[in-house]
Amino acid sequence: MHIPGPEPRTDGGAGAIAAAGGLHHYQRLLHATYGPVVRFQLPGAETAVSIADPVLLEATAHLDERPERLFDFLTPLFEAGNVQVLPVEEHTPWRRLLLSVLAGRPSHERHFARFTELTTALADSWAEGAHAGTDQEPIALQKDLTALTLRMICAYALGGEATDADAVVTAFEVVLTEYLGRLYEAPSPEREGERNTRTAEALSLLRTTVDRIVAAHGTRDAADRSDLIGALVAAGEQPARIRDTVMATLLAAHHTTGVAVSWTLHLLGGHPEAADRVADELRRVLGERMAPDYADLRRLTYLDMVLKESMRLFPPGAYGARETTEAITLGDYEIPAGATVFYPFWAVHMNPEYWPDPERFRPERFTPDEVTKRPRLAHIPFGFGPRSCEGAQLATIEAQLILAILLKRFRFRPVPGHKVVPIERFVLWAADDIRMTVRPRE
């Protein structure tokens, strides 16, 4: 059967995506118009099929190749090959190694105290402004929280205090902003040389930093070692692949966790009754303590439901993509070999067949009984299959910890007149940040 979709355009689909306000909005529009399976044009892919039904997605869960052209913009970050599109024979052992570190409880527990210190320092800085009175400057959540989560992943991936964290954060911001920015705007010719020089210097600093830490790794105290670098060294990886893996980890973790927490606080600011319920749970579990222990996170069940519902409404990564190596059958349709299979996470999360009243914020969707009523792939904020996010567990722990500390101390309220508009910037970003005021809780 012919897969439905819009008529082809001479511009390869770029104009339709721009007119919709970005690929994230375009996907929701396509599926609202044509149904759960849509054929569409995507710059960088000759044939693209988008699937917004979680049952049909199961037929693609085995796919283990990414379309290289869609990830070309990341290639300059890496020396030993773009790790986002490693072939299966390289990707499988590389992924297994990452999971052994990023998904391991001992590693999470070892870094938990440092994560708590970093979050508490941010909360203290906000508290100084919150005590200043009614003229407090609003907090820019995305700016502050993505800086926090980048510091967290730098501590995790680079280890201890072996380097100037601020310099690493700044350098990575330069590199990430430049290469991701090329997706959305062409640099002006008069500034191209300046930007290239600045980006090259930042990339050199990052690679030199990782090299220095790798060289000193075996001589450092165990508490100051990077679990990630240690595993890569032990596996016999070459220096260039070690650098690339650290860069990929920083890239993947840089915006995603901070953005997830930002959207969650945005939703709670508009639903104070849910925020009060989280605060009540925190008082019940933590008592007078201002931060949870690692074991406390399992007891924060309502906070966990709030985070999951937030990532349903605003998934940090709005979409993913795979490539077929052979033809596959998808319900009544056949997708040819060499096609790009597009995963519109946001559209999946807003599918009314599985999420009644999908625009509504309702954390109770994630009680155990409700979860069992839905297909496995109805909620996929971290993707699925052999290319899903290796750091999903680490990101969840970071987000739960940050939310627990901040919601124990503060009430968050939206700034009157400030409009929050989600846009696609590799992650689901707010165009003019998410600006809120914070006030201490009694």
Side-chain angles (χ1 to χ4, degrees), residues 112 316 384 392 427:
F112 197 79
F384 63 96
V427 294

Side-chain angles (χ1 to χ4, degrees), residues 194-438:
E194 175 188 337
R195 289 172 62 168
N196 285 344
T197 299
R198 188 165 180 249
T199 304
E201 290 174 349
L203 194 54
S204 176
L205 184 146
L206 290 172
R207 288 172 175 162
T208 300
T209 297
V210 176
D211 279 347
R212 186 169 64 248
I213 293 169
V214 171
H217 198 270
T219 63
R220 294 167 60 193
D221 293 337
D224 292 329
R225 292 177 185 167
S226 158
D227 296 325
L228 177 59
I229 292 176
L232 292 164
V233 171
E237 291 286 0
Q238 296 300 310
R241 179 51 58 82
I242 293 174
R243 281 194 297 266
D244 289 351
T245 301
V246 172
M247 293 288 283
T249 303
L250 295 176
L251 169 67
H254 177 212
H255 284 117
T256 49
T257 308
V259 165
V261 175
S262 299
W263 286 117
T264 304
L265 294 175
H266 164 68
L267 288 165
L268 291 176
H271 298 82
E273 72 289 346
D276 288 342
R277 184 171 169 183
V278 173
D280 289 342
E281 180 179 72
L282 289 167
R283 279 193 293 270
R284 185 172 64 254
V285 173
L286 304 185
E288 297 300 314
R289 290 179 293 136
M290 300 308 293
D293 294 331
Y294 183 85
D296 291 325
L297 297 183
R298 288 179 174 272
R299 302 168 60 196
L300 300 175
T301 54
Y302 188 70
L303 183 146
D304 182 60
M305 289 191 289
V306 164
L307 177 61
K308 287 175 178 174
E309 174 70 344
S310 170
M311 289 195 291
R312 181 187 72 82
L313 286 165
F314 297 105
Y319 48 77
R322 302 290 183 270
E323 186 171 273
T324 58
T325 55
E326 57 186 20
I328 61 172
T329 300
L330 197 71
D332 295 329
Y333 308 113
E334 182 171 288
I335 301 176
T340 293
V341 176
F342 199 83
Y343 295 152
F345 301 146
W346 205 14
V348 173
H349 289 180
M350 303 299 282
N351 187 328
E353 184 174 348
Y354 304 99
W355 304 101
D357 197 7
E359 302 278 353
R360 182 184 172 198
F361 174 69
R362 193 168 70 84
E364 290 73 20
R365 299 180 198 270
F366 289 92
T367 62
D369 286 345
E370 288 294 312
V371 170
T372 60
K373 298 176 183 178
R374 292 188 296 268
R376 178 178 72 96
L377 299 182
H379 186 248
I380 45 176
F382 296 107
F384 63 96
R387 299 269 178 170
S388 62
C389 175
E390 291 89 1
Q393 292 184 36
L394 176 62
T396 300
I397 287 166
E398 290 178 338
Q400 290 173 335
L401 170 64
I402 295 168
L403 288 167
I405 291 175
L406 297 182
L407 292 168
K408 185 74 159 60
R409 294 180 63 168
F410 302 117
R411 295 181 185 275
F412 292 82
R413 293 290 183 268
V415 173
H418 174 62
K419 192 173 183 180
V420 177
V421 180
I423 60 174
E424 187 261 318
R425 285 292 184 270
F426 196 62
V427 294
L428 199 60
W429 193 253
D432 188 27
D433 216 304
I434 300 173
R435 303 183 187 278
M436 306 190 81
T437 57
V438 297

Side-chain angles (χ1 to χ4, degrees), residues 88-145:
V88 173
E89 60 273 14
E90 289 186 64
H91 175 259
T92 299
W94 184 79
R95 174 180 170 84
R96 190 179 299 120
L97 186 150
L98 286 188
L99 285 170
S100 72
V101 178
L102 299 177
R105 175 172 175 169
S107 186
H108 298 165
E109 286 189 285
R110 192 164 79 83
H111 291 275
F112 197 79
R114 180 57 181 152
F115 292 168
T116 301
E117 290 173 6
L118 290 168
T119 307
T120 300
L122 176 62
D124 289 344
S125 71
W126 285 0
E128 291 180 9
H131 285 294
T134 57
D135 295 330
Q136 176 211 2
E137 189 74 19
I139 299 297
L141 289 183
Q142 285 182 159
K143 174 180 175 291
D144 286 357
L145 290 171

